[in-house]
Amino acid sequence: MPSKNNSRNLATISEVVKGGYCVGCGTCAFRAGGKMLFTDMGEYVPDIDSTDYSAYASSCPSLQPEQNETVIGSNLFRENATHEIGLGHVTGTFAGYANEGSFRQHGTSGGMVSWVLAELMRKDIIDSVVHVKEVEGANTEGPFYEYGKSTTISEVKQNSKTKYHVVELSKILREIKESDDRVAVVGVPCMIKSLRRLARLDKDIKKRVVFTISLVCGHLKSVNWSRSLSWGAGIHPNQMKNIQYRIKGESVPARAYVCQIETQDGTQKILDTANIVGGKYNVGSLMLPACDYCDDVVGETADLTIGDAWLPKYDVDNRGTNLLITRSNEARNLLISAMRENRIYLDNITADEARSSQSGGFRQRGEGLSHRLQLALDIGKKVPEKRIRPGEFKLTALRKEVYKRRSIVSRDSRIAFKEAIEKNDYSIFVSRMKRQLVILRHLEFATSFPRLFINKFNRAIRGIALRMGRA
Ligand SMILES: Cc1cc2nc3c(=O)[nH]c(=O)nc-3n(C[C@H](O)[C@H](O)[C@H](O)COP(=O)(O)OP(=O)(O)OC[C@H]3O[C@@H](n4cnc5c(N)ncnc54)[C@H](O)[C@@H]3O)c2cc1C
């Protein structure tokens, strides 16, 4: 259980914002009638200088640890679900994809997020969907994507695909509150957590949000990450119109992040983000600082969690396979009955397999978080109180160095990219980050060589089996 808040833990929204612990969810701005600022770091924060936020800590995901994910999950799901370490409350763990229509083809992974949203509409459980859509007439100064509503299945499909891009909820929450629609909301774990906290305080939001889907989350990227990919691809951020982060194709492995960038004059460029400085997702370039203090990998407060089934037996299939975790019987039954009608494909997987499919995320947010908390406390910094305790894991010196270096990459990349934009010189970002990324890569390789070797071997074997099966 969480210990009592003390002077080393955060207590106010102002401390959250100033300490770099704000995920930019916008629930405080919604409640306070304030606004969210879009900063030159390409991130959202509440405008704490123009509005008094002191009364709105109770919905902030970084404050009030007594309402952590385990407690919220217990209140919502305890009756029917079992509790699994790292996964939260669970009624089922699956790997699968949509068979019906073109959901899988148009989805980032197995297309199950869009399929479930469509199914909820077909069954008249919801009237509309709150998810992430392109900003109409986006200009190069602002975000490319934002929360919006879809009211038809074709609109849901049009707005499929993952956007590794920050979004905030304050504007759409006003829309949800003002309409009578029953909505399903899609969000990363911290967004769903703040929505759950808000629903305890606002009866209109509670009534209207009838279903939540959490995406599994590695970490959030600022909008500057998208701009850095564009610049690295040879397109100046001022020329960028939009970006698709993970496109599919015969020659694109499921785990690859091959992006497509479109310019203002309509030309398109496709390239593997791993070939761009800071483009390899996991190195943490242009990550929100708050994500270094998260311990919810799989959205433990959502009715249904969907991610990628990163297991050797699934990730050899480049058409994409989802990881699915249900927390209510309704969510589980919805999937099982469609599976029986062959509209979706589902395998039951164990909780261990579900955890293994996100092993990197659990290491970074388990032992890694524990080490980062300890480092912050050692220098007298206030930190959010998490379910993971500072220094609770025994780590080798090399592993500690990996976690420290990842945080340095995140911190320095934000500063270097901002400066590159200000001076209109991409080489500032490249020269500062290249060496750091090489050091990090070597350290990661040194600590994870046996695991990487076994995974690669398993994938090769499964790949051959899959190709033989398809032939
Ligand atoms: C920041 C981020 C980090 C992620 N990290 C991981 C990870 O570490 N491991 C993992 O397994 N999966 C991760 N995912 C989830 C994964 O990328 C896929 O989104 C997921 O597998 C669903 O694929 P799908 O084909 O079912 O979705 P689709 O059918 O393509 O539908 C995606 C849906 O999500 C909505 N959406 C897209 N971006 C966002 C967003 N930023 N916030 C809220 N809603 C959004 C879309 O509007 C659409 O409705 C991450 C997603 C995000 C946004």
Side-chain angles (χ1 to χ4, degrees), residues 103 106-115 117 131-133 147 156 159-165 167 186-188 215-221 246 257 281 306-310 322 358:
F103 290 102
H106 292 128
T108 288
S109 177
M112 282 302 295
V113 173
S114 303
W115 181 88
L117 295 171
H131 59 163
V132 173
K133 307 170 93 166
Y147 265 112
V156 167
N159 294 290
S160 64
K161 296 267 184 205
T162 311
K163 288 89 183 185
Y164 297 103
H165 177 296
V167 281
V186 185
V188 291
L215 303 173
V216 175
C217 187
H219 58 261
L220 275 168
K221 297 286 195 192
R246 274 170 67 190
Y257 284 46
Y281 195 87
I306 305 187
D308 287 281
W310 298 136
N322 288 117
Q358 304 298 326

Side-chain angles (χ1 to χ4, degrees), residues 269-326:
K269 195 151 184 178
I270 292 179
L271 80 166
D272 190 335
T273 66
N275 297 327
I276 297 173
V277 175
K280 213 164 173 286
Y281 195 87
N282 293 345
V283 299
S285 177
L286 295 154
M287 173 184 99
L288 292 201
C291 301
D292 253 349
Y293 296 89
C294 163
D295 61 6
D296 184 5
V297 178
V298 297
E300 295 174 40
T301 65
D303 297 296
L304 171 64
T305 292
I306 305 187
D308 287 281
W310 298 136
L311 292 168
K313 62 179 163 184
Y314 300 113
D315 65 18
V316 287
D317 188 341
N318 57 8
R319 292 168 297 180
T321 308
N322 288 117
L323 162 73
L324 299 110
I325 303 168
T326 57

Side-chain angles (χ1 to χ4, degrees), residues 17-317:
V17 174
K18 289 180 184 154
Y21 300 111
C22 177
V23 295
C25 69
T27 45
C28 60
F30 164 72
R31 294 176 68 204
K35 63 175 191 289
M36 295 298 283
L37 299 175
F38 183 68
T39 70
D40 49 12
M41 292 286 185
E43 300 163 358
Y44 288 105
V45 284
D47 185 1
I48 50 173
D49 293 331
S50 68
T51 307
D52 180 9
Y53 283 90
S54 47
Y56 302 103
S58 47
S59 55
C60 174
S62 295
L63 293 172
Q64 302 203 344
E66 61 280 8
Q67 276 300 315
N68 66 25
E69 292 82 348
T70 308
V71 174
I72 298 172
S74 266
N75 291 336
L76 292 166
F77 310 118
R78 180 180 38 201
E79 271 181 27
N80 302 306
T82 54
H83 187 266
E84 291 287 346
I85 292 168
L87 305 180
H89 291 80
V90 167
T91 54
T93 42
F94 309 93
Y97 50 81
N99 274 331
E100 202 167 32
S102 57
F103 290 102
R104 189 182 192 193
Q105 189 189 336
H106 292 128
T108 288
S109 177
M112 282 302 295
V113 173
S114 303
W115 181 88
V116 169
L117 295 171
E119 184 74 354
L120 292 168
M121 277 188 169
R122 279 192 289 251
K123 287 192 173 298
D124 194 28
I125 294 170
I126 58 168
D127 305 300
S128 56
V129 161
V130 165
H131 59 163
V132 173
K133 307 170 93 166
E134 248 181 71
V135 173
E136 267 180 50
N139 65 43
T140 51
E141 312 275 287
F144 299 101
Y145 294 101
E146 64 184 356
Y147 265 112
K149 247 189 188 187
S150 289
T151 52
T152 63
I153 291 176
S154 77
E155 230 185 316
V156 167
K157 283 183 177 165
Q158 267 167 33
N159 294 290
S160 64
K161 296 267 184 205
T162 311
K163 288 89 183 185
Y164 297 103
H165 177 296
V166 284
V167 281
E168 64 89 20
L169 284 159
S170 68
K171 278 191 269 170
I172 198 72
L173 283 169
R174 287 177 193 128
E175 230 181 282
I176 295 174
K177 197 170 164 79
E178 277 159 25
S179 103
D180 289 330
D181 277 10
R182 298 159 301 163
V183 302
V185 179
V186 185
V188 291
C190 50
M191 298 283 150
I192 303 296
K193 178 186 177 187
S194 44
L195 196 60
R196 291 297 198 189
R197 285 177 160 207
L198 181 63
R200 293 173 64 241
L201 307 161
D202 186 317
K203 63 178 186 348
D204 295 329
I205 298 292
K206 183 173 182 175
K207 192 168 157 206
R208 271 146 218 171
V209 178
V210 298
F211 200 89
T212 52
I213 300 181
S214 177
L215 303 173
V216 175
C217 187
H219 58 261
L220 275 168
K221 297 286 195 192
S222 72
V223 177
N224 283 356
W225 189 62
S226 307
R227 294 179 177 140
S228 80
L229 297 179
S230 178
W231 227 348
I235 298 165
H236 190 284
N238 287 346
Q239 291 305 310
M240 190 181 171
K241 185 163 173 244
N242 69 39
I243 173 165
Q244 279 195 42
Y245 299 86
R246 274 170 67 190
I247 60 165
K248 285 183 175 168
E250 263 305 303
S251 57
V252 180
R255 289 182 83 105
Y257 284 46
V258 172
C259 71
Q260 177 176 298
I261 298 163
E262 191 180 332
T263 63
Q264 298 284 347
D265 63 15
T267 44
Q268 289 176 344
K269 195 151 184 178
I270 292 179
L271 80 166
D272 190 335
T273 66
N275 297 327
I276 297 173
V277 175
K280 213 164 173 286
Y281 195 87
N282 293 345
V283 299
S285 177
L286 295 154
M287 173 184 99
L288 292 201
C291 301
D292 253 349
Y293 296 89
C294 163
D295 61 6
D296 184 5
V297 178
V298 297
E300 295 174 40
T301 65
D303 297 296
L304 171 64
T305 292
I306 305 187
D308 287 281
W310 298 136
L311 292 168
K313 62 179 163 184
Y314 300 113
D315 65 18
V316 287
D317 188 341

Side-chain angles (χ1 to χ4, degrees), residues 41 43 219 221 282-289 291-292 364 403-416 433 436-437 440:
M41 292 286 185
E43 300 163 358
H219 58 261
K221 297 286 195 192
N282 293 345
V283 299
S285 177
L286 295 154
M287 173 184 99
L288 292 201
C291 301
D292 253 349
Q364 172 75 359
Y403 293 121
K404 193 170 138 202
R405 288 272 166 187
R406 279 190 193 154
S407 296
I408 293 173
V409 162
S410 301
R411 183 196 66 198
D412 290 0
S413 59
R414 293 170 71 239
I415 298 163
M433 297 316 300
Q436 287 203 40
L437 290 166
L440 178 58

